[in-house]
Amino acid sequence: MQKVFVVGAAGKIGRSLARQLSERGHQTRALYRKPGQADELMALGATPVLGSLTELDVSQLARLMADSDVVVFSAGAGGKGGTEMTNAIDGRGLELSVASAQEAGIRRFLLVSAFPEAFRGKYVSDTFENYMAVKKLADVHLAETDMDWVILRPGTLLSDPGTGMVRAGLAIPNGEVTRDDVATALVEIIENPAVNRIIIELTKGDAPVGQAIQRLAQS
């Protein structure tokens, strides 16, 4: 049983993760910022923790994370609020969470990032270009720490029910993947500490999620 602290738990991946962690016997504390989100998180089996990445400081967030085994950062502005909100949540929010985990003595940190080739070859806005740049810098920030980190880069996210079948690798072609399957991959990573200090790209595929993640474990 793992004690998991989820940043961005009220998002679609975060909610699926909270449910799956509960189903597999893990304890989840779920950071949320809107009052109406607490009841849903409780119904999913998580313990809601009120707090905002734009208001907490390092020590405050560290106290909320205390006694966790692993932190999962799945927060994202989702394009809302423009460049500044992306910078605040996906950028500074990630840096805050990493610093807080370190202060709390938590070594294991999982980051949900973005597929590098997302929407390449198509017109994208300056806001999206900024989003991708911030995501890459967040990856760099985490990877340069001495933590036991994993960066998960899912392809284009779908809201369809999970299939349980994915393709996972260090570098794979761009594609789509359901949010449920992303959450399942996170659970498998949490349960397999040998998957460590690695960047994983994830799309739909023909391998069971657990098998696909296990192949990436360090011997």
Side-chain angles (χ1 to χ4, degrees), residues 25-99:
H26 301 291
Q27 293 182 6
T28 307
R29 280 182 286 174
L31 188 69
Y32 74 99
R33 64 185 181 86
K34 295 181 180 179
Q37 296 168 335
D39 289 344
E40 182 178 6
L41 292 169
M42 288 182 64
L44 294 170
T47 299
V49 177
L50 180 62
S52 172
L53 291 176
T54 60
E55 297 174 1
L56 294 166
D57 64 26
V58 170
S59 293
Q60 289 170 334
L61 183 54
R63 286 193 291 271
L64 297 180
M65 290 179 175
D67 197 37
S68 297
D69 299 308
V70 56
V71 172
V72 178
F73 187 95
S74 65
K80 299 175 182 177
T83 296
E84 180 51 39
M85 187 57 71
T86 295
N87 295 346
I89 302 300
D90 301 81
R92 294 190 296 274
L94 178 278
E95 295 175 4
L96 168 72
S97 299
V98 169

Side-chain angles (χ1 to χ4, degrees), residues 87-122:
N87 295 346
I89 302 300
D90 301 81
R92 294 190 296 274
L94 178 278
E95 295 175 4
L96 168 72
S97 299
V98 169
S100 297
Q102 291 173 317
E103 183 168 310
I106 304 165
R107 288 201 52 82
R108 188 109 166 112
F109 197 108
L110 278 54
L111 169 61
V112 180
S113 186
F115 212 96
E117 289 77 35
F119 294 99
R120 298 300 94 179
K122 300 180 181 179

